[in-house]
């Protein structure tokens, strides 16, 4: 029988590889540290990236926009859509890199994310409604390439299916499940 946290004689005292103090039933205190996670080092915008708003018939959407240094877009524009808990700022590290490739690039906040107003009713968050938002934004920006991260990819899929793919040059899913 154990008294005051001491193990019964012969039970834990025969376990090798553990410190003697542990075998006697004492508690060891350790400091637990967690690795840093997805914390941006800065929210300063790269040189050619600017904040903007995209006005559509479905509402106004906050965006970050990057253009090529030359000012000449030789490739079709791309729209970047963040995941459920994300925002346009998730793409800060790649906006100017994509623009360096002679492409106009736009990253958005979907309805209810960070700087974009929420829907007036719950139905405004249905996948089909958010997909319709993406189509409206693509029309307003002239984007023909769509990149969706996580939930943004699932919403992008709704947009592609609703448009029967006719308006898209490409559709890229980043870490999106089957839905």
């Amino acid at each position: 029988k154990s008294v005051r946290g001491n193990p019964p004689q012969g039970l834990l005292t025969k376990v090798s590889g553990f410190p003697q103090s542990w075998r006697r039933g004492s508690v060891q205190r350790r400091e637990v540290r967690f690795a840093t996670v997805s914390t941006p080092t800065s929210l300063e915008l790269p040189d050619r990236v600017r904040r903007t708003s995209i006005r559509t018939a479905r509402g106004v959407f906050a965006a970050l926009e990057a253009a090529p240094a030359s000012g000449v877009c030789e490739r079709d524009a791309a729209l970047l859509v963040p995941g459920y808990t994300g925002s346009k700022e998730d793409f800060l590290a790649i906006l100017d890199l994509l623009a360096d490739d002679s492409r106009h690039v736009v990253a958005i906040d979907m309805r209810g994310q960070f700087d974009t107003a929420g829907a007036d009713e719950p139905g405004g968050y249905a996948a089909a409604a958010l997909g319709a938002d993406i189509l409206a934004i693509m029309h307003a920006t002239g984007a023909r390439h769509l990149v969706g991260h996580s939930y943004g990819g699932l919403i992008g899929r709704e947009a592609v299916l609703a448009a029967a793919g006719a308006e898209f040059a490409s559709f890229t899913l980043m870490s999106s499940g089957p839905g």
Side-chain angles (χ1 to χ4, degrees):
K1 183 172 179 180
S2 177
V3 178
R4 291 190 184 170
N6 292 326
Q9 188 61 23
L11 183 64
L12 291 177
T13 55
K14 293 183 180 178
V15 177
S16 62
F18 293 99
Q20 185 67 28
S21 62
W22 187 83
R23 285 184 272 164
R24 286 192 311 260
S26 67
V27 175
Q28 301 257 335
R29 295 193 187 269
R30 284 191 248 162
E31 184 177 320
V32 178
R33 296 179 188 230
F34 295 95
T36 54
V37 293
S38 191
T39 302
T41 56
S42 170
L43 287 179
E44 292 179 23
L45 298 182
D47 288 338
R48 291 186 323 259
V49 176
R50 70 181 185 95
R51 293 188 185 282
T52 188
S53 295
I54 300 168
R55 298 185 188 295
T56 74
R58 296 190 54 81
V60 178
F61 297 85
L64 294 175
E65 180 177 48
S70 67
V72 178
C73 294
E74 297 172 3
R75 298 178 178 200
D76 291 330
L79 178 65
L80 311 178
V81 183
Y84 185 74
T85 60
S87 71
K88 63 195 174 301
E89 285 75 15
D90 291 351
F91 299 106
L92 274 176
I94 63 170
L95 283 171
D96 57 342
L97 297 173
L98 291 171
D100 281 345
D101 202 26
S102 299
R103 184 181 310 279
H104 177 231
V105 186
V106 177
I108 63 158
D109 286 337
M110 285 195 291
R111 195 171 293 284
Q113 289 180 319
F114 194 34
D115 289 328
T116 297
D120 293 333
E121 56 189 54
Y125 295 107
L130 295 172
D133 291 345
I134 298 303
L135 284 175
I137 294 166
M138 290 189 76
H139 286 296
T141 61
R144 297 204 54 234
H145 299 278
L146 179 60
V147 177
H149 173 250
S150 190
Y151 187 65
L154 299 178
I155 298 305
R157 183 183 68 180
E158 290 290 324
V160 170
L161 293 173
E167 304 171 26
F168 296 87
S170 70
F171 175 42
T172 303
L173 296 169
M174 291 174 48
S175 304
S176 294

